Amino acid sequence: MSILARKVAAGLDTAMDRTVAPGFTRIGMGVRSRLPGWPADPPPGALAGRVAAVTGATSGLGLATVEELARLGATVRLVVRDVPKGERVRAEILQRVPGADLRVDRCDVADLDDVRRFVAEADGLDDLDLLVHNAGAMPATRTESAQGHELTMALHLLGPLLMTELLRPALKGSVDGARVVFVTSGGMYGQRLRADDPEYVRGEYSGTTAYARSKRAQVELMPVLAERWGTDGISVHATHPGWADTPGVVDSLPTFHRVLGPLLRDARGGADTTVWLAAVRPAPPGGLLWHDRRDRPTHLLSRTRTGDAERREMWEWARDQAGLTG
């Protein structure tokens, strides 16, 4: 492949990313997957012998992630709030992926006490190779977790931080290095980090803004988490799915879904980079934001850029609220 062809492909990819709409839709992935330099799909059996845990696994991106990981041979734990629904989803996946090794575990990721219970009681999680933080919510009104934290920040940041920290011994034992993936959102591009108001107690509450703020916090803390967990051979990544057609989008953003429905990716397309990050060997560099199998900038607007002091303040707040030490 010529250098010119690669440059043209990279330029087109970047242009779609910076203009947002083309790159985030199904068109973006359709074009990129045909460009020179598109990374190869993981080979069959790429995750044979590996154990993965996926939160929010009963619908949308989580369900698609579980199914694709199972197709690649992984043993997958479905970490869900609703166990009967989780068992139904497990049965559905087994019809499409006969012989898949799947198990359902109960955990409300927003409830820090329940996260502690889940890790303490979970059987067979002594060895873990992959942890996907996919559970998400976008409440219309300000809602608090069991510990009194604003729900989106508890569910998208505090719960995942605590769960990963408690599972570090299991992840540390991964043969070729464990991976942690935060499924974030392109919506975070419109928000700056709010270390001054992490619980969203100031101003008029907006569910979409709260969601985007919590996702911005995930992305901003990637370098900190990569350094913290990297000492145990654990690589941490964030990936955003673009605009995907999921039940969460239908329920929380009905107008957006009605207008852009034909251009939205299906759940499998939205989960593609999460699965690729889980299976590609060797592991990609940690601490980065990924979309369509390529690391992406964390800011598209100058007004959202974060300074080191603000990032440090956010990390110290999250660390303390999640009860992490060190």
Side-chain angles (χ1 to χ4, degrees):
M1 185 187 309
S2 71
I3 296 177
L4 177 60
R6 285 188 176 275
K7 286 185 176 180
V8 170
L12 180 56
D13 181 13
T14 299
M16 288 192 296
D17 192 58
R18 302 304 187 272
T19 51
V20 178
F24 283 23
T25 66
R26 62 192 306 172
I27 295 172
M29 186 174 180
V31 171
R32 287 176 174 135
S33 63
R34 291 168 174 79
L35 291 175
W38 175 257
D41 293 339
L47 293 176
R50 270 95 172 176
V51 179
V54 181
T55 68
T58 55
S59 67
L61 301 177
L63 192 160
T65 299
V66 170
E67 184 166 333
E68 294 308 306
L69 294 176
R71 289 186 188 280
L72 291 172
T75 294
V76 189
R77 310 287 291 255
L78 289 73
V79 183
V80 304
R81 288 189 305 163
D82 186 338
V83 171
K85 183 177 180 180
E87 292 291 355
R88 292 194 297 272
V89 168
R90 176 180 178 273
E92 293 171 4
I93 295 175
L94 285 172
Q95 291 180 349
R96 297 188 291 270
V97 191
D101 189 354
L102 308 173
R103 178 171 173 175
V104 177
D105 296 286
R106 179 178 65 82
C107 183
D108 180 351
V109 180
D111 183 340
L112 302 182
D113 290 337
D114 202 43
V115 171
R116 295 185 182 95
R117 177 207 55 79
F118 158 67
V119 175
E121 296 179 0
D123 294 328
L125 272 184
D126 297 331
D127 296 306
L128 186 63
D129 302 283
L130 172 68
L131 177 58
V132 179
H133 293 299
N134 170 80
M138 190 187 295
T141 58
R142 191 180 185 282
T143 307
E144 293 187 348
S145 70
Q147 288 73 39
H149 297 296
E150 191 277 319
L151 185 64
T152 63
M153 198 64 77
L155 180 58
H156 302 151
L157 186 65
L158 301 182
L161 288 181
L162 177 60
M163 183 181 291
T164 306
E165 191 76 10
L166 295 175
L167 287 171
R168 279 177 77 172
L171 291 161
K172 186 177 181 179
S174 180
V175 174
D176 57 355
R179 303 179 195 187
V180 176
V181 180
F182 283 74
V183 180
T184 188
S185 167
M188 64 93 197
Y189 278 121
Q191 295 295 319
R192 65 181 179 88
L193 188 65
R194 290 300 304 270
D196 62 321
D197 187 22
E199 300 277 17
Y200 208 152
V201 295
R202 302 176 191 170
E204 184 177 355
Y205 184 86
S206 162
T208 54
T209 300
Y211 182 89
R213 285 184 182 182
S214 65
K215 296 297 186 176
R216 166 59 69 187
Q218 288 180 333
V219 171
E220 291 297 336
L221 293 185
M222 280 297 106
V224 179
L225 300 179
E227 181 177 357
R228 181 181 180 89
W229 295 330
T231 58
D232 287 336
I234 303 166
S235 63
V236 58
H237 316 270
T239 176
H240 83 77
W243 294 339
D245 190 352
T246 65
V249 171
V250 174
D251 294 340
S252 301
L253 300 171
T255 302
F256 174 85
H257 183 269
R258 184 170 60 253
V259 173
L260 292 176
L263 295 177
L264 300 182
R265 304 171 179 220
D266 60 16
R268 183 178 178 185
D272 175 82
T273 299
T274 297
V275 175
W276 178 81
L277 282 170
V280 67
R281 296 291 185 274
L288 302 177
L289 170 65
W290 296 80
H291 173 59
D292 282 351
R293 306 189 187 185
R294 178 178 169 185
D295 61 288
R296 305 289 174 179
T298 56
H299 297 270
L300 298 180
L301 303 170
S302 60
R303 64 178 174 81
T304 69
R305 296 193 180 278
T306 302
D308 291 339
E310 191 174 17
R311 185 180 295 107
R312 183 167 56 252
E313 182 182 356
M314 189 70 189
W315 162 243
E316 291 173 352
W317 174 84
R319 179 198 61 197
D320 293 345
Q321 299 306 315
L324 277 57
T325 59

